[in-house]
Amino acid sequence: MRARKKRNNTVLLSVFVLLLAAVFFVAGFYSGRSSAPEGTAAERLCTVAYYIDGELYRSEQVSAGSVPQGVGYPLLDGQRVLAWLDGNGREARVEDLKVYSDLRYTAVTAPLLAAQPGYFPHTEEVFRPDAPLSRAEAAEILCVLLGHPEEEMEPEEAPALRDVDENAGAFRSVCYLVSRGLMDAPNGMFSPEESFSEEGFAALLSPFFRRDDIAAAVGRVAGVGADTVSRAEAAVTLNALLGLDEEERELYLPDVQPGYWAERDVLLAAQGGGKRRDEGFCNIDGYLYAIQSDGYALKNGYIGSLFFDQNGRYTSGSQELDGYVADAIREYTDPGMEREEMLRAMYLHVRDDFTYLRRNYYQVSDIGWAMKEALTMYSTGRGNCYCYAAAFWAAARGLGYDATVVSGTIGSERSPHGWVIISMDGEHYVFDVEIEMAYHRDGQTHIDVYKIEHRAAIGQWLYVEAYAYNQSVPREEEMGFALR
Protein backbone atom coordinates (compact mmCIF):
# COMPACT_ATOMS: atom_id res chain seq x y z
CA MET A 1 0.00 0.00 0.00
CA ARG A 2 2.77 2.37 0.93
CA ALA A 3 4.76 1.42 -2.17
CA ARG A 4 1.77 2.16 -4.42
CA LYS A 5 1.21 5.58 -2.77
CA LYS A 6 4.87 6.43 -3.21
CA ARG A 7 4.67 5.44 -6.87
CA ASN A 8 1.66 7.74 -7.37
CA ASN A 9 3.45 10.69 -5.82
CA THR A 10 6.39 10.12 -8.10
CA VAL A 11 4.12 10.16 -11.16
CA LEU A 12 2.45 13.40 -10.07
CA LEU A 13 5.82 15.03 -9.50
CA SER A 14 6.97 13.95 -12.94
CA VAL A 15 3.82 15.40 -14.58
CA PHE A 16 4.29 18.71 -12.74
CA VAL A 17 7.93 18.95 -13.89
CA LEU A 18 6.93 18.25 -17.49
CA LEU A 19 4.19 20.93 -17.41
CA LEU A 20 6.60 23.45 -15.94
CA ALA A 21 9.14 22.66 -18.63
CA ALA A 22 6.47 23.14 -21.29
CA VAL A 23 5.54 26.57 -19.92
CA PHE A 24 9.16 27.71 -19.97
CA PHE A 25 9.55 26.37 -23.51
CA VAL A 26 6.55 28.29 -24.84
CA ALA A 27 7.64 31.49 -23.09
CA GLY A 28 11.11 31.11 -24.48
CA PHE A 29 9.77 30.43 -27.97
CA TYR A 30 7.71 33.64 -28.07
CA SER A 31 10.48 35.58 -26.40
CA GLY A 32 12.81 34.38 -29.10
CA ARG A 33 10.34 35.40 -31.80
CA SER A 34 10.11 38.94 -30.37
CA SER A 35 13.85 39.35 -30.61
CA ALA A 36 14.13 37.75 -34.01
CA PRO A 37 15.97 39.98 -36.48
CA GLU A 38 13.40 40.00 -39.25
CA GLY A 39 9.60 39.90 -39.69
CA THR A 40 8.79 40.40 -36.01
CA ALA A 41 5.92 42.50 -34.62
CA ALA A 42 8.29 44.90 -32.83
CA GLU A 43 10.02 45.92 -36.06
CA ARG A 44 7.12 45.63 -38.46
CA LEU A 45 6.62 48.99 -40.24
CA CYS A 46 3.23 50.60 -40.82
CA THR A 47 2.44 53.29 -43.37
CA VAL A 48 0.50 56.33 -42.23
CA ALA A 49 -0.80 58.42 -45.16
CA TYR A 50 -2.30 61.90 -45.04
CA TYR A 51 -4.69 62.95 -47.82
CA ILE A 52 -5.94 66.45 -48.63
CA ASP A 53 -8.64 66.98 -51.27
CA GLY A 54 -8.26 63.37 -52.38
CA GLU A 55 -4.52 63.64 -53.03
CA LEU A 56 -1.66 62.27 -50.96
CA TYR A 57 -0.13 65.12 -49.00
CA ARG A 58 2.53 63.14 -47.08
CA SER A 59 3.16 59.69 -45.64
CA GLU A 60 5.47 58.25 -42.99
CA GLN A 61 6.71 54.84 -41.87
CA VAL A 62 6.06 54.00 -38.24
CA SER A 63 7.09 50.94 -36.23
CA ALA A 64 4.06 48.98 -35.01
CA GLY A 65 3.09 50.11 -31.52
CA SER A 66 4.72 53.52 -31.96
CA VAL A 67 3.18 57.00 -32.21
CA PRO A 68 3.45 58.73 -35.61
CA GLN A 69 5.14 62.08 -35.93
CA GLY A 70 2.11 63.51 -37.76
CA VAL A 71 2.00 66.53 -40.03
CA GLY A 72 0.14 68.95 -37.77
CA TYR A 73 -2.49 71.24 -39.27
CA PRO A 74 -0.77 72.88 -42.20
CA LEU A 75 -1.71 76.13 -43.94
CA LEU A 76 -1.89 75.53 -47.66
CA ASP A 77 -2.51 77.65 -50.70
CA GLY A 78 -5.91 79.17 -49.98
CA GLN A 79 -6.94 76.76 -47.24
CA ARG A 80 -6.07 75.47 -43.80
CA VAL A 81 -6.43 72.01 -42.27
CA LEU A 82 -8.90 72.03 -39.37
CA ALA A 83 -8.88 68.33 -38.46
CA TRP A 84 -7.87 64.79 -39.54
CA LEU A 85 -10.49 62.07 -39.92
CA ASP A 86 -9.75 58.36 -39.58
CA GLY A 87 -11.17 55.60 -41.77
CA ASN A 88 -14.45 55.70 -39.84
CA GLY A 89 -14.88 59.44 -40.34
CA ARG A 90 -14.06 60.28 -36.74
CA GLU A 91 -11.75 63.14 -35.80
CA ALA A 92 -8.40 61.87 -34.55
CA ARG A 93 -5.42 63.48 -32.84
CA VAL A 94 -2.88 61.60 -34.93
CA GLU A 95 0.11 62.43 -32.78
CA ASP A 96 -1.52 60.86 -29.70
CA LEU A 97 -2.35 57.42 -31.20
CA LYS A 98 -0.26 54.25 -31.41
CA VAL A 99 -0.17 52.57 -34.81
CA TYR A 100 -0.53 48.80 -35.38
CA SER A 101 -1.50 48.75 -39.06
CA ASP A 102 -1.44 50.89 -42.18
CA LEU A 103 -3.66 53.93 -41.72
CA ARG A 104 -5.10 56.67 -43.90
CA TYR A 105 -6.18 60.05 -42.57
CA THR A 106 -8.26 62.57 -44.53
CA ALA A 107 -8.10 66.31 -43.93
CA VAL A 108 -11.02 68.59 -43.15
CA THR A 109 -10.13 71.92 -44.75
CA ALA A 110 -11.48 75.46 -44.60
CA PRO A 111 -10.88 78.66 -46.58
CA LEU A 112 -7.74 80.43 -45.42
CA LEU A 113 -8.66 83.90 -44.17
CA ALA A 114 -6.27 86.66 -45.18
CA ALA A 115 -4.07 87.73 -42.26
CA GLN A 116 -4.03 91.44 -43.02
CA PRO A 117 -4.48 94.56 -40.89
CA GLY A 118 -7.46 96.80 -41.49
CA TYR A 119 -9.99 94.03 -42.02
CA PHE A 120 -12.59 95.41 -39.60
CA PRO A 121 -15.12 97.69 -41.34
CA HIS A 122 -16.23 100.67 -39.32
CA THR A 123 -18.15 103.86 -39.87
CA GLU A 124 -16.20 106.91 -40.95
CA GLU A 125 -13.69 107.85 -38.25
CA VAL A 126 -14.98 105.95 -35.20
CA PHE A 127 -14.77 102.31 -34.15
CA ARG A 128 -17.38 102.03 -31.33
CA PRO A 129 -15.19 99.50 -29.48
CA ASP A 130 -17.64 98.72 -26.69
CA ALA A 131 -20.69 98.35 -28.92
CA PRO A 132 -21.91 94.76 -29.44
CA LEU A 133 -20.75 93.18 -32.69
CA SER A 134 -23.81 92.64 -34.88
CA ARG A 135 -24.41 89.75 -37.25
CA ALA A 136 -24.38 92.13 -40.22
CA GLU A 137 -21.01 93.53 -39.15
CA ALA A 138 -19.63 90.02 -38.66
CA ALA A 139 -20.73 89.13 -42.21
CA GLU A 140 -18.85 92.14 -43.60
CA ILE A 141 -15.72 91.22 -41.64
CA LEU A 142 -15.72 87.61 -42.83
CA CYS A 143 -16.13 88.65 -46.46
CA VAL A 144 -13.22 91.09 -46.17
CA LEU A 145 -11.06 88.29 -44.74
CA LEU A 146 -12.25 85.94 -47.49
CA GLY A 147 -11.15 88.43 -50.14
CA HIS A 148 -14.62 89.82 -50.96
CA PRO A 149 -16.06 86.74 -52.72
CA GLU A 150 -19.53 88.29 -52.41
CA GLU A 151 -18.60 90.74 -55.17
CA GLU A 152 -18.53 87.84 -57.63
CA MET A 153 -21.90 86.45 -56.53
CA GLU A 154 -24.58 86.49 -59.22
CA PRO A 155 -27.92 88.13 -58.29
CA GLU A 156 -29.81 84.86 -58.74
CA GLU A 157 -27.61 83.29 -56.06
CA ALA A 158 -28.85 85.71 -53.39
CA PRO A 159 -31.18 84.04 -50.90
CA ALA A 160 -34.52 85.63 -50.04
CA LEU A 161 -33.97 87.62 -46.84
CA ARG A 162 -36.94 89.38 -45.29
CA ASP A 163 -35.10 91.55 -42.77
CA VAL A 164 -32.01 92.77 -44.69
CA ASP A 165 -32.48 95.79 -46.93
CA GLU A 166 -31.06 95.33 -50.41
CA ASN A 167 -29.50 98.78 -50.10
CA ALA A 168 -27.75 97.99 -46.83
CA GLY A 169 -23.98 97.97 -46.97
CA ALA A 170 -23.79 94.42 -45.62
CA PHE A 171 -26.45 92.98 -47.93
CA ARG A 172 -24.14 91.18 -50.39
CA SER A 173 -21.91 89.89 -47.61
CA VAL A 174 -24.90 88.50 -45.74
CA CYS A 175 -26.29 86.89 -48.91
CA TYR A 176 -22.96 85.25 -49.73
CA LEU A 177 -22.46 83.72 -46.29
CA VAL A 178 -26.06 82.54 -45.99
CA SER A 179 -26.01 81.00 -49.49
CA ARG A 180 -22.80 79.11 -48.59
CA GLY A 181 -24.20 77.86 -45.28
CA LEU A 182 -21.65 79.84 -43.26
CA MET A 183 -24.35 81.88 -41.48
CA ASP A 184 -27.99 81.00 -40.98
CA ALA A 185 -31.26 82.79 -41.80
CA PRO A 186 -34.13 80.55 -40.68
CA ASN A 187 -37.32 81.30 -42.60
CA GLY A 188 -35.55 84.15 -44.37
CA MET A 189 -34.85 86.04 -41.12
CA PHE A 190 -31.17 86.90 -40.69
CA SER A 191 -31.53 89.21 -37.64
CA PRO A 192 -28.79 91.60 -38.83
CA GLU A 193 -28.67 93.67 -35.62
CA GLU A 194 -28.56 90.68 -33.27
CA SER A 195 -25.37 90.33 -31.24
CA PHE A 196 -23.28 87.28 -30.30
CA SER A 197 -22.64 85.44 -27.07
CA GLU A 198 -19.11 84.09 -26.67
CA GLU A 199 -20.41 80.64 -27.62
CA GLY A 200 -22.23 82.05 -30.62
CA PHE A 201 -19.14 83.91 -31.81
CA ALA A 202 -17.04 80.76 -31.44
CA ALA A 203 -19.62 78.87 -33.51
CA LEU A 204 -19.45 81.56 -36.21
CA LEU A 205 -15.67 81.08 -36.46
CA SER A 206 -15.74 77.27 -36.36
CA PRO A 207 -15.85 76.80 -40.16
CA PHE A 208 -12.57 78.73 -40.46
CA PHE A 209 -10.40 77.86 -37.44
CA ARG A 210 -9.61 74.86 -35.24
CA ARG A 211 -11.70 74.46 -32.12
CA ASP A 212 -8.68 74.54 -29.81
CA ASP A 213 -7.42 77.75 -31.40
CA ILE A 214 -10.85 79.38 -31.16
CA ALA A 215 -11.19 78.42 -27.49
CA ALA A 216 -7.78 79.90 -26.72
CA ALA A 217 -8.53 83.13 -28.62
CA VAL A 218 -11.99 83.60 -27.08
CA GLY A 219 -10.44 82.86 -23.70
CA ARG A 220 -8.39 86.04 -24.03
CA VAL A 221 -11.53 88.14 -23.66
CA ALA A 222 -13.80 85.82 -21.66
CA GLY A 223 -15.37 87.74 -18.81
CA VAL A 224 -13.98 91.12 -19.91
CA GLY A 225 -17.38 92.73 -20.35
CA ALA A 226 -21.03 91.90 -20.86
CA ASP A 227 -22.44 88.62 -22.09
CA THR A 228 -22.39 89.90 -25.66
CA VAL A 229 -19.17 90.07 -27.68
CA SER A 230 -18.16 93.68 -28.28
CA ARG A 231 -16.43 94.98 -31.39
CA ALA A 232 -13.18 95.37 -29.43
CA GLU A 233 -13.42 91.81 -28.10
CA ALA A 234 -14.04 90.54 -31.62
CA ALA A 235 -10.93 92.38 -32.82
CA VAL A 236 -8.80 90.85 -30.04
CA THR A 237 -10.10 87.36 -30.83
CA LEU A 238 -9.66 87.63 -34.59
CA ASN A 239 -6.19 89.17 -34.33
CA ALA A 240 -5.06 86.18 -32.27
CA LEU A 241 -6.54 83.68 -34.73
CA LEU A 242 -5.09 85.50 -37.73
CA GLY A 243 -1.66 85.85 -36.13
CA LEU A 244 -1.69 89.67 -36.25
CA ASP A 245 -0.04 90.18 -32.88
CA GLU A 246 3.20 91.73 -34.05
CA GLU A 247 2.35 94.61 -36.33
CA GLU A 248 1.99 98.16 -34.98
CA ARG A 249 -0.30 100.79 -36.54
CA GLU A 250 -0.59 104.49 -35.81
CA LEU A 251 -4.20 105.58 -36.28
CA TYR A 252 -6.36 108.27 -34.73
CA LEU A 253 -9.82 107.16 -33.70
CA PRO A 254 -11.53 109.67 -31.39
CA ASP A 255 -13.39 106.93 -29.50
CA VAL A 256 -10.28 104.81 -28.79
CA GLN A 257 -8.29 106.65 -26.15
CA PRO A 258 -4.64 105.88 -25.37
CA GLY A 259 -4.54 103.25 -22.65
CA TYR A 260 -7.83 101.64 -23.67
CA TRP A 261 -7.54 97.94 -22.76
CA ALA A 262 -7.77 96.78 -26.40
CA GLU A 263 -6.25 99.87 -28.01
CA ARG A 264 -3.51 98.03 -29.88
CA ASP A 265 -5.83 95.32 -31.23
CA VAL A 266 -8.48 97.84 -32.29
CA LEU A 267 -5.98 100.00 -34.16
CA LEU A 268 -4.57 96.90 -35.83
CA ALA A 269 -8.01 95.72 -36.93
CA ALA A 270 -9.43 99.11 -37.96
CA GLN A 271 -9.59 99.96 -41.64
CA GLY A 272 -8.43 103.51 -41.13
CA GLY A 273 -8.62 106.61 -38.99
CA GLY A 274 -9.26 110.28 -39.55
CA LYS A 275 -7.61 113.58 -38.82
CA ARG A 276 -7.49 114.72 -35.21
CA ARG A 277 -10.67 116.46 -34.12
CA ASP A 278 -10.85 119.86 -32.47
CA GLU A 279 -12.49 120.26 -29.09
CA GLY A 280 -16.27 120.61 -29.17
CA PHE A 281 -19.30 118.89 -30.62
CA CYS A 282 -19.02 117.07 -33.93
CA ASN A 283 -21.29 114.82 -35.96
CA ILE A 284 -19.70 111.71 -37.42
CA ASP A 285 -21.92 109.70 -39.74
CA GLY A 286 -24.93 111.52 -38.31
CA TYR A 287 -24.14 110.76 -34.66
CA LEU A 288 -23.04 113.35 -32.10
CA TYR A 289 -19.74 113.19 -30.21
CA ALA A 290 -18.23 115.60 -27.70
CA ILE A 291 -14.50 115.90 -28.32
CA GLN A 292 -12.47 116.91 -25.27
CA SER A 293 -9.28 118.95 -25.14
CA ASP A 294 -7.12 115.82 -25.60
CA GLY A 295 -8.82 115.09 -28.93
CA TYR A 296 -10.82 112.11 -27.66
CA ALA A 297 -14.55 111.69 -27.13
CA LEU A 298 -16.24 112.07 -23.77
CA LYS A 299 -17.56 108.70 -22.61
CA ASN A 300 -20.17 107.80 -19.99
CA GLY A 301 -20.77 111.41 -19.12
CA TYR A 302 -23.14 114.36 -19.46
CA ILE A 303 -22.89 117.78 -21.03
CA GLY A 304 -25.98 119.54 -19.72
CA SER A 305 -28.68 116.91 -20.11
CA LEU A 306 -27.02 115.29 -23.13
CA PHE A 307 -25.65 111.86 -22.25
CA PHE A 308 -22.70 110.29 -24.09
CA ASP A 309 -22.45 106.51 -23.84
CA GLN A 310 -19.54 104.10 -23.39
CA ASN A 311 -18.56 104.61 -27.03
CA GLY A 312 -18.64 108.40 -26.78
CA ARG A 313 -21.85 108.67 -28.81
CA TYR A 314 -24.79 110.82 -27.70
CA THR A 315 -27.91 108.79 -27.04
CA SER A 316 -31.48 109.79 -26.33
CA GLY A 317 -31.94 106.49 -24.53
CA SER A 318 -33.60 104.93 -27.57
CA GLN A 319 -31.34 103.26 -30.10
CA GLU A 320 -34.21 103.28 -32.59
CA LEU A 321 -34.74 107.03 -32.28
CA ASP A 322 -31.00 107.69 -32.43
CA GLY A 323 -30.88 105.78 -35.70
CA TYR A 324 -33.75 107.78 -37.23
CA VAL A 325 -32.16 111.07 -36.23
CA ALA A 326 -28.71 110.09 -37.51
CA ASP A 327 -30.20 109.02 -40.85
CA ALA A 328 -31.96 112.38 -41.16
CA ILE A 329 -28.87 114.38 -40.20
CA ARG A 330 -26.83 112.50 -42.79
CA GLU A 331 -29.43 113.19 -45.46
CA TYR A 332 -30.37 116.80 -44.76
CA THR A 333 -27.12 118.36 -43.57
CA ASP A 334 -23.65 118.70 -44.97
CA PRO A 335 -20.40 118.14 -43.04
CA GLY A 336 -19.21 121.57 -44.17
CA MET A 337 -22.12 123.33 -42.43
CA GLU A 338 -21.75 125.25 -39.19
CA ARG A 339 -23.70 123.72 -36.34
CA GLU A 340 -26.46 126.35 -36.42
CA GLU A 341 -26.79 125.90 -40.18
CA MET A 342 -27.36 122.22 -39.50
CA LEU A 343 -30.01 123.13 -36.91
CA ARG A 344 -31.84 125.29 -39.47
CA ALA A 345 -31.65 122.50 -42.06
CA MET A 346 -33.21 120.02 -39.65
CA TYR A 347 -35.94 122.53 -38.72
CA LEU A 348 -36.85 122.87 -42.40
CA HIS A 349 -36.77 119.10 -42.84
CA VAL A 350 -39.27 118.58 -40.01
CA ARG A 351 -41.41 121.48 -41.23
CA ASP A 352 -41.58 120.41 -44.86
CA ASP A 353 -41.14 116.63 -44.99
CA PHE A 354 -43.79 115.42 -42.54
CA THR A 355 -47.57 115.48 -42.72
CA TYR A 356 -50.02 116.75 -40.11
CA LEU A 357 -52.25 114.09 -38.55
CA ARG A 358 -54.47 114.51 -35.51
CA ARG A 359 -53.09 112.39 -32.66
CA ASN A 360 -52.76 112.43 -28.86
CA TYR A 361 -52.87 115.71 -26.98
CA TYR A 362 -51.41 116.19 -23.53
CA GLN A 363 -52.19 118.04 -20.36
CA VAL A 364 -50.49 121.39 -19.98
CA SER A 365 -47.00 120.93 -18.49
CA ASP A 366 -47.08 117.18 -19.14
CA ILE A 367 -43.64 115.64 -19.52
CA GLY A 368 -42.25 112.33 -20.75
CA TRP A 369 -43.98 112.32 -24.13
CA ALA A 370 -41.15 113.63 -26.30
CA MET A 371 -39.41 110.35 -27.13
CA LYS A 372 -42.66 108.51 -27.85
CA GLU A 373 -43.93 111.21 -30.20
CA ALA A 374 -40.56 111.63 -31.90
CA LEU A 375 -40.56 107.92 -32.69
CA THR A 376 -44.12 108.22 -33.94
CA MET A 377 -43.16 111.02 -36.30
CA TYR A 378 -39.95 109.48 -37.66
CA SER A 379 -41.45 106.03 -38.08
CA THR A 380 -44.77 107.07 -39.68
CA GLY A 381 -44.03 110.48 -41.20
CA ARG A 382 -47.26 111.86 -39.70
CA GLY A 383 -48.18 113.60 -36.47
CA ASN A 384 -49.62 116.59 -34.64
CA CYS A 385 -47.91 119.53 -32.95
CA TYR A 386 -46.42 117.32 -30.25
CA CYS A 387 -44.96 115.03 -32.89
CA TYR A 388 -43.50 117.95 -34.84
CA ALA A 389 -42.02 119.43 -31.68
CA ALA A 390 -40.60 116.08 -30.56
CA ALA A 391 -39.06 115.35 -33.98
CA PHE A 392 -37.26 118.70 -34.00
CA TRP A 393 -36.31 118.32 -30.31
CA ALA A 394 -34.65 114.98 -31.07
CA ALA A 395 -32.82 116.42 -34.09
CA ALA A 396 -31.61 119.47 -32.16
CA ARG A 397 -30.25 117.32 -29.35
CA GLY A 398 -28.57 115.11 -31.98
CA LEU A 399 -26.69 118.25 -33.07
CA GLY A 400 -25.56 119.16 -29.55
CA TYR A 401 -28.32 121.57 -28.52
CA ASP A 402 -29.75 120.97 -25.05
CA ALA A 403 -33.31 121.36 -26.33
CA THR A 404 -36.47 121.09 -24.23
CA VAL A 405 -40.02 120.28 -25.32
CA VAL A 406 -42.89 122.18 -23.75
CA SER A 407 -46.54 121.18 -23.34
CA GLY A 408 -48.71 124.25 -22.92
CA THR A 409 -51.23 126.39 -24.74
CA ILE A 410 -51.06 128.90 -27.56
CA GLY A 411 -53.17 131.82 -28.71
CA SER A 412 -56.15 133.56 -27.19
CA GLU A 413 -58.13 130.33 -27.42
CA ARG A 414 -55.49 128.64 -25.31
CA SER A 415 -55.29 125.67 -27.60
CA PRO A 416 -53.24 122.72 -26.29
CA HIS A 417 -49.88 122.81 -28.02
CA GLY A 418 -46.29 121.56 -27.95
CA TRP A 419 -43.12 123.39 -29.01
CA VAL A 420 -39.36 123.52 -28.37
CA ILE A 421 -37.16 125.86 -26.35
CA ILE A 422 -33.38 126.05 -26.83
CA SER A 423 -30.95 128.19 -24.86
CA MET A 424 -28.20 129.87 -26.90
CA ASP A 425 -25.64 132.34 -25.63
CA GLY A 426 -27.54 132.86 -22.41
CA GLU A 427 -30.89 133.54 -24.12
CA HIS A 428 -33.97 131.31 -24.45
CA TYR A 429 -35.52 130.90 -27.89
CA VAL A 430 -38.75 129.35 -29.11
CA PHE A 431 -38.85 127.02 -32.14
CA ASP A 432 -42.35 126.08 -33.28
CA VAL A 433 -42.14 123.89 -36.36
CA GLU A 434 -45.80 122.88 -36.53
CA ILE A 435 -47.17 126.44 -36.33
CA GLU A 436 -44.88 127.55 -39.13
CA MET A 437 -45.83 124.47 -41.18
CA ALA A 438 -49.55 125.24 -40.77
CA TYR A 439 -49.23 128.83 -41.93
CA HIS A 440 -46.96 127.92 -44.85
CA ARG A 441 -49.45 125.22 -45.86
CA ASP A 442 -52.12 127.94 -45.98
CA GLY A 443 -49.97 130.19 -48.16
CA GLN A 444 -48.71 132.53 -45.41
CA THR A 445 -45.05 131.86 -46.09
CA HIS A 446 -43.94 135.07 -44.35
CA ILE A 447 -44.59 133.47 -40.94
CA ASP A 448 -41.32 132.46 -39.29
CA VAL A 449 -41.26 130.81 -35.88
CA TYR A 450 -37.62 129.74 -35.97
CA LYS A 451 -35.53 131.03 -33.08
CA ILE A 452 -37.93 133.62 -31.69
CA GLU A 453 -36.66 135.35 -28.54
CA HIS A 454 -38.59 133.85 -25.66
CA ARG A 455 -40.28 136.97 -24.30
CA ALA A 456 -41.19 138.18 -27.78
CA ALA A 457 -42.70 134.79 -28.62
CA ILE A 458 -44.84 134.85 -25.48
CA GLY A 459 -46.05 138.36 -26.26
CA GLN A 460 -46.74 137.72 -29.94
CA TRP A 461 -48.10 134.18 -29.86
CA LEU A 462 -49.53 134.04 -26.32
CA TYR A 463 -47.63 130.93 -25.34
CA VAL A 464 -48.51 129.66 -21.86
CA GLU A 465 -46.05 127.09 -20.61
CA ALA A 466 -47.46 126.07 -17.24
CA TYR A 467 -51.18 126.81 -17.22
CA ALA A 468 -53.42 124.64 -15.00
CA TYR A 469 -55.49 123.17 -17.79
CA ASN A 470 -57.30 120.00 -16.83
CA GLN A 471 -59.05 119.05 -20.04
CA SER A 472 -56.90 117.87 -22.95
CA VAL A 473 -58.95 118.95 -25.96
CA PRO A 474 -57.66 117.98 -29.41
CA ARG A 475 -57.09 120.98 -31.66
CA GLU A 476 -58.54 120.57 -35.12
CA GLU A 477 -56.17 120.63 -38.08
CA GLU A 478 -57.85 123.69 -39.59
CA MET A 479 -58.02 125.71 -36.35
CA GLY A 480 -56.51 129.15 -36.73
CA PHE A 481 -54.25 131.08 -34.36
CA ALA A 482 -54.89 134.48 -32.83
CA LEU A 483 -51.95 136.83 -33.28
CA ARG A 484 -51.19 140.07 -31.47
Side-chain angles (χ1 to χ4, degrees), residues 20 32 43 60 67 91 99 118 121 127-128 144 192 245 291 321 341 346-347 353 383 423:
L20 187 61
E43 293 195 3
E60 61 176 317
V67 176
E91 184 175 348
V99 173
F127 192 89
R128 296 185 298 117
V144 170
D245 291 333
I291 306 301
L321 179 58
E341 290 180 303
M346 292 306 297
Y347 180 92
D353 297 323
S423 296

Side-chain angles (χ1 to χ4, degrees), residues 74-97:
L75 304 181
L76 307 170
D77 184 21
Q79 59 184 349
R80 73 170 71 232
V81 173
L82 297 184
W84 292 102
L85 304 182
D86 63 19
N88 296 315
R90 296 174 298 193
E91 184 175 348
R93 299 184 67 91
V94 178
E95 61 276 13
D96 293 342
L97 301 175

